[in-house]
Amino acid sequence: MSQLDHKSQAWSALFSEPVSELVQRYTASVGFDQRLWRADIQGSLAHAAMLAAQGIISAQDLADIRRGLAQVAQEIESGSFEWKLELEDVHLNVEARLTQLVGDAGKRLHTGRSRNDQVATDVRLWLRGEIDLIAGLLSQLQQALLGLAERNADVILPGFTHLQVAQPVSFGHHMLAYVEMFARDAERMADVRKRVNRLPLGAAALAGTSYPLDREAVAAELGMEGVCQNSLDAVSDRDFAIEFTAAATLAMVHVSRLSEELVLWTSQNFGFIRIADRFTTGSSIMPQKKNPDVPELARGKTGRVAGHLVALVTLMKGQPLAYNKDNQEDKEPLFDTVDTLRDTLRIFADMMDGITVDAQAMEQAARRGFATATDLADYLVRKGLPFRDAHETVAHAVRAAQQQGCDLSELPLATLQGFHPSIGQDVFQVLSLRGSLDARKVLGGTAPEQVRAQVARHRRRLA
Ligand code: ARG
C-alpha cells in the first residue's frame, strides 16, 4: 500500500491516530485547488527534468515520471481521475496517482521540494495564464468601445458634473474615457505579471534545500522571468495575488462606473441608448419592462471582487514567516476574482458592440441644461471682459432664459445685448451645441476631430 493511500499515514509513522472526518473536510483544499492541476504537472515536469540534469534522479526515473504524469493529465482531462478528499489537495492527489502508476520514481519526484514552494509555484503559473487571457479580453473591450466612439464621434451628449448638465461632449469622447481606464487596467495587469512570474521552487519548506538544484534552469524552463531570491519570502508571501486582485478590483470599478451610466441612460428618463435585447430581461409582472440586468449585476459583482481584495489583505496581515496554512485560503477569493472579471469583460465587450444610440434624445437633453453657458462666458472674455464678470453676466442671461423656458441660443439678439453690449450676431455660432463641441480642439478635448485622432492613436497602440 502506498504511503499516501490513507491520510492516517500521509505524513509519517509519527501520528498515532487518523484525523477526524470533520478535520479532514475542514483542512482539505482539493475541492477547489484541483483547478491548478495543469500548473502542478507543468511545475513537476520542470522540477523532475532539472533533478535528472543535476544527477539527483536517474534518466529512467525522469522517463517514468514523464510517462506517469502524461497519464495523470489524460485521466484528469477525460474526467476519469479519482480525486480523494483524504489526500487533501491537488498536489498530494497527483503525486499519489503518479506513484501508483510508476512506483519509486513517483516517490522521488518530491526530492528537494515541499508543498510550500510547490503550491506557490502552481498558483503563480496558473495566474500568469489567467492574466494573459484577461489582457486579451481588456483589449477586446477597448476595441468595442473604440468602434462605438468612432461611430458616434459627432453625436452630442450632455456632459455632466454632479449629474447636472454641464457642457456638451461628443458621445465618442465619453466612450474614450472608458478606453483610457481599461488601457490603464491592462498596463497594471502587465506590470503585476512581472512579479507573478517568478519562481518559488527551490525554497523547499522554508529554508532552501541541500540538494544542488538549478533554480535558474527551472525558471527558464517554465518561462519565468526570475527566481524568488529569499526562500522564506518565496513560500510565504501572497502579495502577487493581492496585487492582481487589486488590479482586478480597479478594472471592475471601471466596469461598474460604466454600468451605472448604462443603467441611467437606458431608463425612460434619459432614453439615450438601447442595449441589445440579449443583454436585458423582462419582468414577470410588468409586461412593458426591459431591465438592464447585465450592467446591474456587473455593478453588484464589483462589490464581491472588492471583498476578495479585503479578504486577501486580511489573510496576509498577521502571518509570521514563513508558510502558514492560512495561505490555503488565498485560492477561493483569487479564483472567484478571475472568474468574475473574465466573464464580466467578455460580456461587456460583446454588449458595448451592440449598443445603439438615440442622438436626438441626447441632444435635446443637452439643450435643456444651458450646456453652452460656459461658451458664452468665454465669448465675453474674448470681447474683453474679465472672466469673473463674464461668469456673472451669463448667470443673468441663464436666469432670463429659464424664466422664458428657452435655451440661451433661443433668446433674441436684443435681449442678449441687454446683458452686455459687446454681444453680436456671431454669438449664435458660439451658443450652438455643435459650435461648443467643435471649439474644444485642445489635446484630450471633446472636438470630434480630437475624438477621431484619439481613436486612431488607440488603434495603433492596440495593434
Ligand atoms: N494545500 C496547501 C495550500 O494550498 C498546500 C501547501 C500545504 N503545505 C503544508 N505544509 N501544509 O497552501
Side-chain angles (χ1 to χ4, degrees):
M1 185 169 56
S2 150
Q3 271 215 343
L4 294 175
D5 277 354
H6 283 294
K7 176 76 178 197
S8 56
Q9 292 177 12
W11 320 119
S12 68
L14 188 67
F15 293 77
S16 56
E17 59 171 5
V19 295
S20 79
E21 219 183 292
L22 178 58
V23 170
Q24 197 168 82
R25 258 196 296 124
Y26 193 73
T27 55
S29 54
V30 67
F32 49 85
D33 70 12
Q34 51 178 271
R35 81 150 83 182
L36 296 173
W37 70 267
R38 265 180 223 283
D40 193 68
I41 288 178
Q42 194 189 359
S44 287
L45 286 171
H47 180 67
M50 179 275 295
L51 289 178
Q54 297 294 100
I56 301 167
I57 63 172
S58 69
Q60 185 56 53
D61 284 337
L62 174 60
D64 289 347
I65 287 169
R66 283 182 169 152
R67 176 172 52 83
L69 286 176
Q71 163 137 12
V72 171
Q74 187 272 320
E75 288 177 4
I76 297 175
E77 211 144 53
S78 69
S80 66
F81 190 89
E82 209 191 310
W83 297 100
K84 295 186 179 140
L85 187 75
E86 60 273 24
L87 290 175
E88 195 178 310
D89 56 25
V90 60
H91 323 291
L92 293 179
N93 268 273
V94 169
E95 191 186 332
R97 178 67 182 138
L98 172 70
T99 300
Q100 234 175 31
L101 290 168
V102 304
D104 281 355
K107 295 187 198 165
R108 292 201 180 99
L109 171 62
H110 212 51
T111 312
R113 187 175 77 170
S114 151
R115 276 187 304 152
N116 297 349
D117 56 348
Q118 186 178 0
V119 69
T121 302
D122 290 4
V123 175
R124 284 167 182 267
L125 280 174
W126 171 83
L127 186 56
R128 181 183 71 183
E130 297 297 325
I131 287 174
D132 292 343
L133 291 173
I134 287 165
L137 291 170
L138 278 169
S139 132
Q140 276 175 33
L141 176 53
Q142 289 177 72
Q143 296 283 11
L145 288 165
L146 286 174
L148 196 56
E150 188 173 47
R151 289 194 291 282
N152 297 288
D154 294 299
V155 170
I156 293 174
L157 170 82
F160 297 95
T161 59
H162 315 270
L163 206 57
Q164 313 280 317
V165 172
Q167 292 174 354
V169 294
S170 145
F171 184 79
H173 191 57
H174 199 103
M175 290 300 108
L176 287 179
Y178 287 101
V179 174
E180 294 287 335
M181 295 180 226
F182 293 123
R184 289 196 297 279
D185 291 324
E187 270 180 45
R188 266 185 284 275
M189 286 293 169
D191 199 59
V192 168
R193 189 188 193 278
K194 293 184 229 159
R195 286 176 292 280
V196 168
N197 200 22
R198 291 177 193 163
L199 181 75
L201 273 184
L206 75 164
T209 173
S210 57
Y211 296 98
L213 303 189
D214 184 350
R215 299 187 62 208
E216 306 275 2
V218 177
E221 171 68 23
L222 292 173
M224 289 187 143
E225 284 165 58
V227 161
C228 299
Q229 297 286 329
N230 179 289
S231 61
L232 298 165
D233 176 49
V235 293
S236 66
D237 209 333
R238 296 292 181 267
D239 58 354
F240 67 89
I242 295 174
E243 269 198 79
F244 166 79
T245 307
T249 301
L250 275 173
M252 286 299 293
V253 165
H254 292 149
V255 167
S256 185
R257 297 186 66 191
L258 177 56
S259 297
E260 172 67 9
E261 303 212 279
L262 297 179
V263 171
L264 287 173
W265 291 347
T266 52
S267 83
Q268 288 75 6
N269 303 310
F270 283 76
F272 289 177
I273 61 162
R274 279 206 7 248
I275 294 177
D277 279 355
R278 64 181 182 283
F279 299 104
T280 59
T281 60
S283 156
S284 55
I285 178 164
M286 296 167 286
Q288 85 283 15
K289 298 270 297 209
K290 228 182 236 181
N291 297 326
D293 286 34
V294 168
E296 289 173 71
L297 258 181
R299 197 174 55 189
K301 284 175 189 287
T302 302
R304 151 187 189 146
V305 173
H308 293 328
L309 173 60
V310 173
L312 289 176
V313 169
T314 311
L315 174 72
M316 202 72 247
K317 76 170 269 293
Q319 285 192 50
L321 288 172
Y323 177 86
N324 303 282
K325 186 78 165 181
D326 310 41
N327 282 337
Q328 182 165 292
E329 285 287 304
D330 65 353
K331 287 169 200 63
E332 285 162 295
L334 185 61
F335 293 170
D336 189 66
T337 296
V338 164
D339 291 344
T340 305
L341 181 60
R342 273 179 59 178
D343 287 352
T344 303
L345 292 175
R346 185 169 297 135
I347 210 164
F348 265 66
D350 193 12
M351 188 172 65
M352 295 315 288
D353 222 21
I355 279 183
T356 46
V357 160
D358 186 338
Q360 241 186 339
M362 289 187 200
E363 199 167 326
Q364 256 164 32
R367 257 181 236 298
R368 273 197 303 271
F370 306 102
T372 56
T374 314
D375 297 271
L376 180 56
D378 291 343
Y379 171 87
L380 291 170
V381 167
R382 285 197 296 277
K383 299 279 180 182
L385 262 75
F387 183 78
R388 282 291 160 221
D389 293 344
H391 186 277
E392 187 56 23
T393 303
V394 174
H396 288 294
V398 167
R399 195 166 169 164
Q402 255 168 359
Q403 275 160 4
Q404 296 181 30
C406 69
D407 184 45
L408 283 175
S409 61
E410 289 159 348
L411 289 172
L413 181 59
T415 309
L416 286 167
Q417 281 170 335
F419 298 112
H420 202 271
S422 70
I423 294 178
Q425 183 64 39
D426 58 345
V427 78
F428 292 107
Q429 165 63 16
V430 163
L431 287 178
S432 79
L433 294 173
R434 184 70 48 197
S436 167
L437 210 64
D438 287 342
R440 288 173 166 70
K441 291 190 203 331
V442 68
L443 176 66
T446 192
E449 66 173 71
Q450 263 298 322
V451 171
R452 276 185 270 273
Q454 292 284 351
V455 168
R457 180 181 67 81
H458 283 298
R459 289 229 167 100
R460 281 195 301 277
R461 178 177 62 74
L462 288 170

